[in-house]
């Protein structure tokens, strides 16, 4: 059996993407409420006002998770639901929702894995400068304390931040996501430094206040670079690319993970950013260096590289017509390489905090939702992950993104990522074929998956894809 006994078979969601009840029970506005209500921001003007209505239907959703045999469920707490303006008064009704959710999960035998921040910053915090204002670090610590005091007697697994690369670079630099600011690199690096400090303070608060000793991680984007061939030169090039800055940008893995796991910014990054690098105060790097208990990664696709004549990595694009979902190429060895490289660098157990694909499947005339592509995606990626485990990489869990179709940020409800289909008009849930497949994977503890090498996991019809 490849998967360790205590391996967590899970699925993930995030508050704004599924909860709905955006203006109910005292919840404050988040930047995503404001953004999605701004004309032209989200495709077709979709908003998260109702989303999957999970806020009201959570008990039904937990039952569906139970039927799927899920052992772990990763969800996020909405900061403005708990603290409507981000600081100060606690909204008891909001906090009580998460209390009920945790109890319902535990009663169903499903372990809650809680993310403290998945992008829905309180608008009140945004108006005080958001991530650019250093005070956010203590505001986030205070919010963490409220949640830890309430849930920390039952919740053991925590993630501090989801994908700082996105809520800094895509939100503050390119302006693509809420709050759609377009700042220069220097301000983004400052905001990012505050986000890293917030991770550190959050971990400290969880460790100090949770009654059940917490197991802490986070969920950054794990941009995966993989070698195009088995040659040692390509392997070395992929490793170099994996931990490279990729230019004067924060859109990479290493800028974020090195400070948290190693206690310093990567030298290459400091050199490239030059004057735009954040002003680091005394004690900052120690505060950031709250080493997580596990290394979470959100990984969907691999980028292939080969060694150029000088050994430096060169991109190898996927061939035209390569199998892809709406999320990008299907690259079955992605979880193998990200786990291997991340464990090699940081020496911590790996958790795949997100992985999945997007489609537009609908309910067929037979009443079922047929998604053979997702079944194949899960098969390949988990077979790749199993190959890493066989080589000795400690992997503690896999969270499929997503439990159910949901609000896909700027793409609204168009891209469907769920194991469970949601009819947004009636809010009816229909488990897809992939939900049943995943149930069988879990039930067999991965034994029904084919044994594959990473190369086989990424080949189609026996042919290499690059
Ligand atoms: C995010 C999710 C998102 C998913 C698919 C990740 O970047 O954490 O919130 O829905 O990818 O795009």
């Amino acid at each position: 059996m490849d998967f360790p006994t205590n391996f967590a078979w899970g699925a993930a969601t995030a508050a704004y993407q599924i909860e709905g009840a955006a203006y109910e029970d005292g919840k404050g506005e988040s930047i995503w409420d404001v953004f999605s209500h701004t004309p032209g921001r989200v495709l077709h003007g979709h908003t998260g006002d109702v989303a999957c209505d999970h806020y009201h239907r959570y008990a039904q959703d937990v039952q569906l998770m139970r039927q799927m045999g899920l052992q772990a469920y990763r969800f996020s707490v909405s900061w403005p639901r708990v603290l409507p303006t981000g600081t100060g008064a606690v909204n008891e009704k909001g906090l009580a929702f998460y209390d009920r959710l945790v109890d319902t999960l535990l009663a169903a035998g499903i372990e809650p894995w809680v993310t403290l921040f998945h992008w829905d910053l309180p608008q009140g915090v945004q108006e005080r400068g958001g991530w650019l204002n250093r005070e956010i670090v203590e505001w986030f610590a205070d919010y963490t304390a409220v949640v830890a005091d309430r849930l920390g007697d039952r919740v053991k697994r925590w993630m501090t931040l989801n994908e700082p690369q996105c809520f800094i670079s895509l939100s503050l630099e390119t302006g693509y996501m809420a709050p759609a600011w377009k700042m220069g690199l220097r301000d983004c690096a400052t905001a990012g430094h505050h986000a890293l400090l917030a991770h550190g303070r959050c971990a400290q608060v969880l460790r100090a206040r949770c009654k059940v000793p917490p197991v802490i991680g986070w969920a950054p984007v794990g941009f995966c670079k993989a070698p195009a061939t088995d040659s040692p030169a390509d392997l070395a090039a992929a490793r170099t690319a994996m931990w490279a800055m990729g230019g004067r940008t924060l859109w990479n893995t290493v800028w974020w993970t090195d400070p948290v796991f190693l206690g310093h910014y990567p030298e290459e990054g400091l050199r490239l950013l030059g004057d735009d690098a954040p002003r680091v105060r005394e004690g900052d790097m120690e505060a950031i260096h709250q080493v997580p208990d596990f290394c979470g990664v959100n990984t969907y696709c691999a980028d292939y590289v080969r060694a150029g004549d000088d050994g430096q990595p060169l991109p190898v694009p996927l061939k035209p017509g390569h199998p892809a979902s709406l999320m990008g190429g299907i690259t079955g060895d992605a979880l193998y390489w990200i786990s291997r490289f991340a464990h090699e660098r940081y020496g911590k157990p790996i958790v795949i905090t997100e992985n999945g694909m997007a489609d537009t499947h609908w309910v067929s005339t037979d009443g079922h939702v047929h998604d053979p592509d997702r079944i194949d995606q899960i098969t390949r990626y988990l077979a790749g992950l199993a190959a890493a485990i066989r080589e000795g990489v400690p992997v503690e869990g896999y969270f499929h993104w997503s439990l159910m179709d949901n609000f896909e940020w700027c793409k609204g409800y168009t891209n469907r990522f769920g194991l469970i289909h949601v009819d947004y008009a009636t809010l009816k849930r229909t488990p897809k074929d992939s939900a049943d497949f995943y149930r069988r994977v879990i039930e067999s503890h991965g034994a029904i998956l084919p044994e594959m090498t990473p190369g086989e996991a990424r080949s189609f019809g026996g042919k290499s894809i690059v």
Side-chain angles (χ1 to χ4, degrees):
M1 185 80 58
D2 294 326
F3 293 91
T5 321
N6 60 355
F7 187 83
W9 296 100
T13 62
Y16 190 71
Q17 296 182 269
I18 64 164
E19 284 180 1
Y23 296 92
E24 258 182 78
D25 284 351
K27 176 182 164 291
E29 266 192 325
S30 80
I31 56 173
W32 274 93
D33 291 309
V34 174
F35 180 86
S36 65
H37 280 271
T38 308
R41 292 299 192 194
V42 175
L43 198 61
H44 308 310
H46 293 169
T47 73
D49 287 5
V50 177
C52 306
D53 195 33
H54 175 73
Y55 186 75
H56 297 113
R57 294 166 200 250
Y58 71 92
Q60 177 196 352
D61 291 334
V62 173
Q63 284 320 304
L64 290 170
M65 292 181 218
R66 200 176 58 79
Q67 284 161 21
M68 213 190 291
L70 279 196
Q71 297 167 350
Y73 173 52
R74 174 179 174 227
F75 64 92
S76 76
V77 174
S78 160
W79 183 354
R81 196 180 287 290
V82 171
L83 291 162
T85 61
T87 55
V90 172
N91 176 33
E92 171 51 33
K93 282 188 176 166
L95 204 46
F97 165 68
Y98 297 106
D99 220 8
R100 291 195 300 276
L101 175 59
V102 164
D103 282 344
T104 310
L105 286 165
L106 291 173
I110 299 166
E111 179 161 30
W113 288 53
V114 178
T115 308
L116 270 308
F117 182 72
H118 199 129
W119 305 358
D120 47 351
L121 193 73
Q123 178 64 15
V125 169
Q126 184 59 35
E127 284 164 11
R128 284 173 277 170
W131 289 107
L132 207 46
N133 182 345
R134 194 176 160 112
E135 285 185 75
I136 195 172
V137 179
E138 286 314 310
W139 298 337
F140 191 62
D142 293 345
Y143 152 65
T144 302
V146 172
V147 179
D149 287 353
R150 187 63 172 256
L151 305 181
D153 57 341
R154 284 153 291 156
V155 173
K156 185 173 170 199
R157 316 266 174 182
W158 300 86
M159 282 140 290
T160 57
L161 307 176
N162 185 75
E163 298 188 347
Q165 294 100 326
C166 293
F167 72 76
I168 299 295
S169 293
L170 292 185
S171 302
L172 302 179
E173 192 176 8
T174 69
Y176 171 65
M177 286 185 161
W181 279 5
K182 285 192 182 175
M183 309 193 304
L185 189 55
R186 184 183 182 144
D187 282 339
C188 285
T190 302
H193 187 63
H194 298 157
L196 288 170
L197 284 165
H199 154 81
R201 286 289 292 124
C202 177
Q204 284 174 336
V205 170
L206 289 171
R207 287 187 174 130
R209 296 181 90 114
C210 288
K211 291 209 176 76
V212 176
V215 176
I216 300 173
W218 69 333
V221 182
F223 296 95
C224 175
K225 308 292 171 182
T229 72
D230 289 340
S231 81
D234 286 356
L235 171 60
R239 185 180 284 115
T240 303
M242 176 73 218
W243 304 113
M245 287 290 292
R248 270 174 53 77
T249 173
L250 309 180
W251 189 243
N252 58 48
T253 308
V254 72
W255 179 258
W256 305 92
T257 46
D258 267 15
V260 165
F261 287 96
L262 305 179
H264 54 76
Y265 282 110
E267 262 175 42
E268 187 201 9
L270 292 173
R271 199 179 66 248
L272 283 166
L273 263 62
D275 274 355
D276 290 332
R279 303 285 170 265
V280 176
R281 296 189 195 166
E282 206 185 322
D284 279 5
M285 295 320 291
E286 291 73 21
I288 290 171
H289 190 207
Q290 299 301 311
V291 184
D293 300 302
F294 63 86
C295 176
V297 281
N298 293 355
T299 296
Y300 289 81
C301 313
D303 302 321
Y304 294 99
V305 296
R306 67 176 177 84
D309 291 340
D310 57 357
Q312 287 307 302
L314 292 175
V316 178
L318 295 174
K319 287 179 180 156
H322 175 80
S325 86
L326 297 176
M327 182 65 180
I330 298 295
T331 56
D333 53 351
L335 300 185
Y336 170 82
W337 289 108
I338 193 77
S339 307
R340 183 171 153 178
F341 284 152
H343 181 252
E344 200 173 81
R345 191 172 181 91
Y346 299 126
K348 288 284 163 190
I350 307 296
V351 174
I352 307 300
T353 35
E354 277 182 35
N355 167 252
M357 55 156 272
D359 58 42
T360 58
H361 297 315
W362 56 86
V363 182
S364 293
T365 45
D366 64 6
H368 296 281
V369 180
H370 304 296
D371 57 344
D373 39 8
R374 182 168 289 98
I375 291 174
D376 193 57
Q377 185 270 325
I378 294 173
T379 303
R380 288 167 179 282
Y381 281 66
L382 283 178
L385 188 62
I389 296 170
R390 279 199 298 280
E391 286 181 19
V393 179
V395 184
E396 295 187 335
Y398 170 86
F399 288 83
H400 193 78
W401 184 273
S402 178
L403 173 70
M404 56 184 149
D405 295 339
N406 58 49
F407 177 81
E408 177 52 16
W409 307 113
C410 297
K411 299 196 173 115
Y413 295 99
T414 49
N415 288 12
R416 293 177 176 272
F417 278 87
L419 292 160
I420 298 172
H421 178 276
V422 177
D423 177 329
Y424 296 114
T426 62
L427 295 168
K428 182 170 185 236
R429 275 83 163 135
T430 307
K432 302 179 188 177
D433 288 355
S434 57
D436 188 54
F437 173 72
Y438 195 41
R439 180 187 62 71
R440 290 189 292 117
V441 170
I442 299 172
E443 196 177 66
S444 72
H445 204 58
I448 65 161
L449 295 166
E451 185 167 323
M452 287 178 154
T453 63
E456 286 166 346
R458 80 175 194 197
S459 300
F460 288 84
K463 293 209 178 66
S464 171
I465 55 177
V466 287

